[in-house]
Amino acid sequence: MRSPIQLQEKFRARFGTPAAIYRAPGRVNLIGEHTDYNDGFVLPAAIEFYCWVAAASRADRKLVIHSENFNETVEANLSSISALNKNHWGNYPLGVADKLQAAGKRLNGQSLLISGDVPLGAGLSSSAAIEVAAGFALLKQSGCNINRAELAQLCQKAENEFVGARCGIMDQFIACYGRASFVILLDCRSLDFQSAQLPPGVQLVICNTMVRHELASSEYNRRRAECEEGVRALRMVLPDIRALRDVTITQLENHCALLNPTVYSRCRHVITENDRTQEAFRALYSSNLGAFGRLMRDSHRSLRDDYEVSCKELDLMVEIASAQPGMIGSRMTGGGFGGCTINLVEAAAVDAFRQSVVAKYHAQTGLKPEIYVSPAADGVQQVDIKAGGAMHGPAS
Ligand code: GLA
């Protein structure tokens, strides 16, 4: 983990003033995939990988933002923020500043130094981490009250409209509301949530396949469109539904003739995944890890066969992991087409799990996977530099 003191020293060397330090976490989703944009349920945890932001107010109305990861500085005037080239990292903080202002927040000019340790492009939400860290820092530095739900929504809006990725609310929400040792069951329609503690003796083990398929964003948008098509068709007979969240599996089966086979399969994934996610939360709550593991397995199969967002490397990683001693459950996590799997593993078995998975995956693919073991972490916060630790931001 990067030290906040080091970051402050780098800030002083670049901008000549002391800085306040903020950080927001990446995330891993235990179950509930491709359900958030269908008004459904997700079960993520924040992880101990962060986007760090050092910030100090400026006398002018500028945002001057330096990225350590890209070794590049961007500048914008708060009264006229426009997007940079597509895929530019600067669009994340600039987009958030733009949406905060559009929502009536009066921001001051700021110098920001951004440094992230969430693996990029691995499906662990480095983008939500930078959005939420930057948004929280800008609000705090400008003396604005922080409402975490509103911050999550404005960061999502920035990603949808400024960056141009049609993501749901899950990643930004958990970056705001993560809680150490807890997973969060989020209702993506009402934004109500409940938390459940991960049992002691069980660890979250994330296996990075080290592949990223180019198709990810176009296929993501296509899946969203297929879900919308399903809702439109089903509304002819179920006029009250607003999203796939409102459809039961029996209703889907009864009206399957209205849907083409692909749209039917997509809907079946979303509807069964919503059920699995709520059931998984109950299983975790009652410490029924056997049931939780089976639901993770079923989720992976549904994502592979019905939603078709897995790939051969993710399937292989799940297959290898599932055969290891101490394994509770394994599935792909995040948008898919590469990235990571999430594994619940008994703590005592984690070292052997790591060695065996790395060796077997490498032998079959030639790729060296990265394995991250992380406790569930807290959401965005300001870091207290003097104490060298972290302190919570306002709990609003
Ligand atoms: C990406 C998106 C999320 C969610 C997942 C799939 O991570 O950013 O909003 O849709 O894919 O569950």
Side-chain angles (χ1 to χ4, degrees):
M1 188 196 294
R2 200 176 301 270
S3 120
I5 295 179
Q6 223 182 350
L7 194 65
Q8 211 196 34
E9 277 163 11
K10 289 200 168 159
F11 187 94
R12 194 191 287 275
R14 178 167 295 277
F15 293 107
T17 59
I21 308 288
Y22 304 88
R23 71 178 190 199
R27 66 96 188 92
V28 69
N29 190 21
L30 275 72
I31 193 164
E33 220 65 81
H34 290 277
T35 45
D36 61 353
Y37 53 83
N38 290 296
D39 277 4
F41 295 87
V42 293
L43 192 68
I47 52 174
E48 285 190 349
F49 289 87
Y50 298 98
C51 177
W52 298 80
V53 172
S57 298
R58 306 171 55 91
D60 57 21
R61 297 267 303 144
K62 276 188 188 167
L63 290 180
V64 179
I65 312 175
H66 183 81
S67 161
E68 272 224 303
N69 300 71
F70 294 92
N71 192 22
E72 190 187 356
T73 306
V74 297
E75 277 195 30
N77 197 304
L78 276 170
S79 38
S80 61
I81 298 178
S82 44
L84 306 168
N85 297 340
K86 201 168 159 36
N87 297 330
H88 196 288
W89 64 267
N91 286 331
Y92 295 98
L94 291 178
V96 171
D98 187 54
K99 296 301 171 194
L100 290 174
Q101 292 198 124
K105 315 290 174 195
R106 301 172 71 89
L107 302 182
N108 301 333
Q110 298 292 327
S111 301
L112 304 179
L113 174 62
I114 299 184
S115 177
D117 54 38
V118 184
L120 297 182
L124 300 177
S125 280
S126 54
S127 39
I130 185 174
E131 288 157 9
V132 169
F136 190 90
L138 289 171
L139 289 171
K140 255 304 183 95
Q141 292 290 117
S142 306
C144 302
N145 286 337
I146 295 177
N147 171 329
R148 287 175 184 245
E150 184 190 25
L151 175 60
Q153 284 170 312
L154 291 173
C155 287
Q156 182 201 9
K157 201 164 189 219
E159 183 146 350
N160 289 170
E161 295 173 6
F162 201 96
V163 175
R166 292 191 71 201
C167 64
I169 188 70
M170 167 168 69
D171 305 347
Q172 292 78 9
F173 193 92
I174 191 68
C176 286
Y177 281 97
R179 180 171 169 202
S181 313
F182 283 80
V183 297
I184 303 250
L185 177 72
L186 172 66
D187 176 337
C188 297
R189 170 173 282 167
S190 65
L191 299 190
D192 288 340
F193 64 96
Q194 304 171 64
S195 29
Q197 199 154 15
L198 283 169
V202 171
Q203 289 199 305
L204 298 178
V205 183
I206 300 163
C207 299
N208 189 344
T209 61
M210 310 305 279
V211 297
R212 189 86 201 147
H213 288 219
E214 290 309 317
L215 283 173
S217 70
S218 58
E219 288 295 320
Y220 186 91
N221 289 342
R222 191 197 304 261
R223 294 299 178 282
R224 284 196 71 145
E226 287 162 347
C227 291
E228 286 158 11
E229 189 182 328
V231 172
R232 269 197 307 276
L234 290 167
R235 221 184 254 142
M236 295 195 289
V237 287
L238 303 167
D240 293 338
I241 64 169
R242 280 161 55 201
L244 288 178
R245 147 73 174 274
D246 303 312
V247 182
T248 65
I249 191 69
T250 314
Q251 288 171 325
L252 180 73
E253 301 300 346
N254 288 346
H255 303 300
C256 62
L258 293 172
L259 307 171
N260 76 44
T262 303
V263 171
Y264 168 75
S265 301
R266 306 303 190 236
C267 294
R268 186 166 62 180
H269 164 72
V270 173
I271 293 167
T272 56
E273 184 80 349
N274 272 330
D275 291 343
R276 277 189 291 271
T277 305
Q278 293 172 87
E279 205 180 323
F281 183 77
R282 288 191 292 272
L284 195 59
Y285 212 81
S286 52
S287 301
N288 187 348
L289 290 178
F292 194 92
R294 285 190 292 278
L295 290 161
M296 288 177 80
R297 180 201 59 197
D298 294 347
S299 167
H300 185 80
R301 290 180 181 166
S302 178
L303 287 156
R304 182 190 64 195
D305 301 336
D306 274 352
Y307 218 62
E308 296 183 276
V309 291
S310 188
C311 63
K312 63 181 193 315
E313 293 86 354
L314 283 167
D315 293 343
L316 177 67
M317 191 67 98
V318 166
E319 187 191 315
I320 294 171
S322 300
Q324 303 307 309
M327 159 58 60
I328 295 162
S330 180
R331 55 180 285 280
M332 57 156 278
T333 187
F337 301 104
C340 295
T341 65
I342 171 69
N343 305 272
L344 273 196
V345 183
E346 285 168 16
V350 167
D351 287 345
F353 174 92
R354 180 198 289 271
Q355 277 178 25
S356 177
V357 167
V358 168
K360 293 199 161 75
Y361 184 80
H362 183 235
Q364 293 195 48
T365 60
L367 297 166
K368 279 235 158 73
E370 288 179 1
I371 313 277
Y372 321 113
V373 180
S374 173
D378 279 325
V380 63
Q381 58 198 287
Q382 184 171 359
V383 178
D384 178 358
I385 301 184
K386 280 184 217 92
M391 65 183 191
H392 284 282
S396 55

